[in-house]
Amino acid sequence: MRALSGLWRWRHNPLCRATDLAEAWAALVALLLIAVAAPVTGCLVGAAARDSLQRSVLEQRHTRHPVTATVVRDMGGALQETDPDAASTRQTGSRVLADWTAPDGTPRHGPVLADLKSPHQGDHFRLWTDPHGRITTRPLDSATATTHAVLAGVGAALLTAALVEGGRRLAVWRLVRRRYARWDQAWDRAGPDWGKAGTGS
């Protein structure tokens, strides 16, 4: 609105300088870009991120499998959950030695993180593995993927708006410098006679 009022104010003003009009136009163009380009960029980036993440969701669903593992013995010590997509970052698990069968039928044995507070021999818990039985994190779910895509879109929109505003501020800074340079030139021309009484001294 300041851009529109600025343009209207300088429309027929005889004191209007070229830099005043340029500053008002820069503000108007920046306003339009922030109002139109930022949301469009955010939507495009969000849609691209959603498509990519949903493909990852489908791929992980095909390559990660839940298996049931059996506790052989407790290895001691509670560890913090390492899965970045876990519902709670404070969720803890216990390190245990366990047996499980890979999706390809191969028996597996090794230390794993079990979601059991006090594991005992023979307890069962679920693990996520790849097709060869190697431990992996649980697959990304669709809701989490959508949340990440929305955040990517919002971030892209905010970044676009910040870049546009930065460009406007840079343009205004250059206009002000040019204006000051012209004032300095005018003062230099008027300087030798400024303040003299005209007495020839």
Side-chain angles (χ1 to χ4, degrees):
M1 293 307 296
R2 288 176 58 189
L4 293 174
S5 64
L7 284 173
W8 184 262
R9 184 175 67 247
W10 290 117
R11 195 165 54 110
H12 297 299
N13 194 320
L15 298 177
C16 176
R17 298 165 294 193
T19 54
D20 295 323
L21 278 177
E23 189 174 334
W25 277 111
L28 179 61
V29 169
L31 177 66
L32 291 175
L33 285 175
I34 289 173
V36 176
V40 168
T41 301
C43 288
L44 291 176
V45 169
R50 184 197 62 219
D51 292 344
S52 175
L53 288 169
Q54 292 299 338
R55 280 195 300 272
S56 294
V57 168
L58 291 175
E59 179 185 344
Q60 290 180 12
R61 284 180 181 170
H62 287 95
T63 58
R64 300 182 184 186
H65 307 279
V67 298
T68 301
T70 305
V71 174
V72 175
R73 67 179 172 86
D74 185 5
M75 297 181 70
L79 299 176
Q80 190 164 357
E81 177 62 61
T82 57
D83 185 356
D85 295 320
S88 170
T89 56
R90 295 201 173 270
Q91 182 179 358
T92 59
S94 302
R95 194 162 178 80
V96 299
L97 194 64
D99 291 326
W100 68 95
T101 302
D104 62 4
T106 308
R108 292 282 180 167
H109 177 82
V112 296
L113 186 66
D115 56 351
L116 301 170
K117 290 185 179 178
S118 56
H120 301 286
Q121 184 177 3
D123 287 349
H124 299 288
F125 62 96
R126 190 169 75 163
L127 282 178
W128 287 96
T129 70
D130 66 11
H132 303 291
R134 291 186 292 264
I135 303 298
T136 186
T137 58
R138 67 181 175 85
L140 182 67
D141 62 86
S142 184
T144 303
T146 300
T147 301
H148 290 332
V150 169
L151 291 175
V154 170
L158 291 175
L159 180 60
T160 302
L163 289 174
V164 169
E165 177 60 14
R168 184 195 71 81
R169 287 177 182 263
L170 178 62
V172 169
W173 175 75
R174 294 187 66 178
L175 288 171
V176 170
R177 283 191 53 144
R178 186 181 303 171
R179 185 182 302 158
Y180 287 163
R182 288 180 180 171
W183 283 354
D184 288 340
Q185 292 170 0
W187 277 111
D188 287 342
R189 287 193 299 268
D193 297 326
W194 182 258
K196 294 185 178 179
T199 58
S201 58

